[in-house]
Each structure stands twice: as C-alpha cells, then as structure tokens.
Amino acid sequence: MTLNPHHGAQAAVSDPFGEHSRRHASLCRQIMGGRFRFESASAALLDLVDAAYAGLPPHRLPPAAPEFRVELRLLPRRAASPAAEPPPVRMQSGAGLLCGVMDASNYVVLAPAQRQALVVASADMLERPYHLRYELIEFAVFTLATRGLGLVPLHGACVGREGRGILLLGASGSGKSTVALHSLLQGLDFLAEDAVFVQPENLLATGVANYVHVQADALRFVDDAEVRRWIGEAPRIRRRSGVEKFEADLRQGPGRLAPAPLELAGVVFVSSQAADDPDVLLGAVPAGEIAARLCADQPYASGQPGWHPFQQRVERIGAHQLRRGRHPRDAVDALRWLLG
C-alpha cells in the first residue's frame, strides 16, 4: 500500500471542524426528569458518565420530557498539564449559546434551544474526574435540564418521605450536607445534597442523588461503624474554596434514594449557629421576610425564569430556620415534624 504524505493535510482541509471523522458510541440515562443521550468516541468519557449517572432513580416530571443530547470529545493530553487544580470555569454567552471555559482544551458549549451540548476535555483531565464531571459534564446536564424543563436551579439539599420534601438552604458550611446525610441514615428519602431543581408551578423537586460530600470532622457524629467505613474509604475531593471532603457514593451506601420527585412541603434555612434552647431548633421565618431571605440565599436562581412563581409558592407553604442542636439526628427529628 502506498501512503500519501499529504493525506493528513488533505483530511484537515476537507473536514476542518472534525465533523465527519468520529464514530460515536452512546448511552442514555433518565436524569432530573429528562432523557439524556451521551455520545462519544471515547470509552473513558462514557465510563465517567456511567459512573456518575448509572443506578439513579429515573425521575420523571410532567409533561413528557424531551431528549437532550450531550456529545463528549476527548483531546490529546496538554503539553504542560498544570500541577495544581484546573483553572476555574469562565462563563460566556452569545448567539443563543452558553459557554463554560477552563482553557483551550477543556470547555463546554451549550445550545439550550436545540437541547444539545458539546463537552471537550483533554486526556489529562481524566486524572481529575471530580473537576471533569462536576464542572464540565454536570454543568452541561444541569444547564440543559434547567432551560429545557423550565426548572428553578437551587444551591441546596432536599430530603423527604412519602412524596413530600423539605428543601434545605443555607450558606456553604452551614451544615446542609450533614443534615441531609443524617436524614438518610434516619430513614428519610434522599433527593439531593448540593443542587436541587424545582418545577415552579407545582413545587416538584428533583436532583441527582449520586454522591454526598462529608467533611472528616462530621464523622464523629456517625455512630454506625459500617457507615463510617463507607464514608472514610470514599475518595477525597477538594472544593474550589479549599475545603476537603469525602465524596461517598450514595448508590453503594445505606438508606433510600427518593424514587420520584418530591413535592416541597416546606423550606428550611440551615444555620451554623447553635440553638439557644437545644430542644427547640426550628423557628418560623416571618412571612414578610421569606422573599428577601430566598433572594439573598439564591442570587443566581432569583434572576432565572420561574423564580417569582416559585417564590410565591414558598411563601404559601412557609419557611423555617434550623439551628444546631446536640446532635444532627435532632435536626432530623425537626424535619420529620415539618413533614407531618
């Protein structure tokens, strides 16, 4: 066979964007009420997607959800991979597109109107699965679902039982993850720990219950040795804030993941402050203060479509503040009381 030395150059000219040269495998997952099709020529990237979304309860929201398409493309390793964590994602938008850019080899481009996204990552990012999954892949999934399904995106956690849920809000470090973890251990359904997405017209909440993030000092409140082992043997991740946490896979641990979206029965602002009376952890937020508290706690969500009907419905169901007690299970008892 005679090799043409100009073949590579000719291919680059005939297909400069690489549109026709890749054979893609695909997998489908039901996530947050939507059906997502992930396509890639990289088995490693599809394995990462599968690790993130396999085994989740297949939440469905009314009406029937459209299909979203996410293409994942793997580039060669960067010549000089940064020794420290990857650069933070910078956001851009225009011409109906949304972009999140780490660098020239790692970025996301979303076309919400077409329900499609392109995730591009360099091979060395496979060595940083937390950043690749959370800041690129999940960014695409969460944004497409939010825009395509009309959801309000919230930084918070959610637990519940028998189809009713409590939305846990509060600043980073306030204890939302700890309360959510102990709710799971005490028999409540676990819906989400870091990001909750709500249909504003009916307050149905959904999320991705794949991991829970726990600081090492929170293990002292976990009495069960098997649960401590499950968390203590989990990988450690480092947040952009510098806080290190265990990332424990909820699908391999105890408790029950919410099998379907939960209808919010209340909103709780979790506080890091100790209660004046350890037997009284909950205090009602005055109706006239709920809107301001919500906006202050959720600056991004408060500017999104659907925020005002969401806010109005929260004002109807009421909000509470939860202060710390002697043990996180006391907070779970307070949440049970709210659930009725």
Side-chain angles (χ1 to χ4, degrees):
M1 182 176 66
T2 301
L3 297 179
N4 182 350
H6 302 293
H7 176 73
Q10 290 172 345
V13 171
S14 63
D15 186 20
F17 296 103
E19 297 173 273
H20 312 300
S21 58
R22 294 172 176 83
R23 292 184 179 179
H24 288 174
S26 68
L27 61 86
C28 293
R29 293 287 179 265
Q30 185 75 20
I31 308 170
M32 295 166 48
R35 179 175 172 81
F36 281 80
R37 178 180 296 277
F38 299 91
E39 300 175 340
S40 183
S42 166
L45 287 177
L46 289 178
D47 286 345
L48 187 61
V49 168
D50 201 44
Y53 301 119
L56 293 175
H59 286 191
R60 288 175 170 80
L61 293 166
E67 182 174 275
F68 301 95
R69 178 173 172 262
V70 180
E71 180 181 341
L72 302 110
R73 186 168 298 179
L74 191 65
L75 298 184
R77 297 180 67 90
R78 289 169 291 182
S81 301
E85 66 180 8
V89 175
R90 303 184 307 278
M91 306 299 181
Q92 295 288 343
S93 65
L97 302 175
L98 304 176
C99 301
V101 180
M102 279 185 178
D103 58 32
S105 299
N106 296 277
Y107 54 88
V108 184
V109 181
L110 299 106
Q114 285 74 45
R115 305 188 182 98
Q116 295 187 59
L118 170 67
V119 177
V120 176
S122 56
D124 52 283
M125 280 295 290
L126 293 171
E127 300 164 9
R128 304 175 185 273
Y130 171 74
H131 289 95
L132 175 51
R133 171 179 53 82
Y134 187 72
E135 298 188 358
L136 297 179
I137 297 174
E138 285 196 354
F139 171 68
V141 170
F142 287 176
T143 304
L144 286 179
T146 298
R147 304 297 176 95
L149 299 173
L151 305 177
V152 175
L154 302 163
H155 173 55
C158 186
V159 297
R161 68 179 178 192
E162 298 177 354
R164 289 161 53 83
I166 298 294
L167 177 64
L168 303 174
L169 303 178
S172 295
S174 61
K176 298 186 298 296
S177 296
T178 299
V179 173
L181 171 63
H182 284 271
S183 296
L184 174 80
L185 300 180
Q186 296 298 317
L188 295 185
D189 291 348
F190 190 106
L191 184 130
E193 173 255 1
D194 191 54
V196 181
F197 302 83
V198 180
Q199 274 192 332
E201 61 271 17
N202 52 26
L203 290 189
L204 281 176
T206 185
V208 177
N210 48 9
Y211 301 101
V212 64
H213 298 94
V214 183
Q215 292 191 53
D217 64 357
L219 289 178
R220 70 184 189 275
F221 294 114
V222 178
D223 302 323
D224 189 298
E226 189 63 22
V227 174
R228 286 200 305 273
R229 183 197 62 78
W230 164 59
I231 297 173
E233 293 181 356
R236 285 177 179 259
I237 59 95
R238 184 182 178 88
R239 290 268 171 93
R240 291 288 186 181
S241 62
V243 175
E244 289 192 356
K245 293 189 175 186
F246 293 106
E247 185 175 60
D249 193 329
L250 289 160
R251 296 156 294 182
Q252 299 175 5
R256 170 182 160 99
L257 306 184
L262 299 176
E263 182 179 356
L264 295 183
V267 171
V268 168
F269 293 95
V270 180
S271 171
S272 60
Q273 295 181 345
D276 295 331
D277 181 346
D279 294 319
V280 183
L281 305 187
L282 279 177
V285 175
E289 299 178 10
I290 292 177
R293 288 286 298 270
L294 284 172
C295 288
D297 191 81
Q298 302 291 324
Y300 173 72
S302 63
Q304 300 305 302
W307 175 260
H308 290 296
F310 166 77
Q311 174 186 294
Q312 291 169 352
R313 283 166 175 77
V314 170
E315 288 174 315
R316 292 174 195 164
I317 63 174
H320 290 77
Q321 178 166 280
L322 176 69
R323 296 183 184 271
R324 292 192 178 181
R326 303 180 187 91
H327 193 281
R329 60 173 164 262
D330 297 332
V332 180
D333 290 338
L335 299 185
R336 281 202 185 96
W337 178 81
L338 280 180
L339 286 166

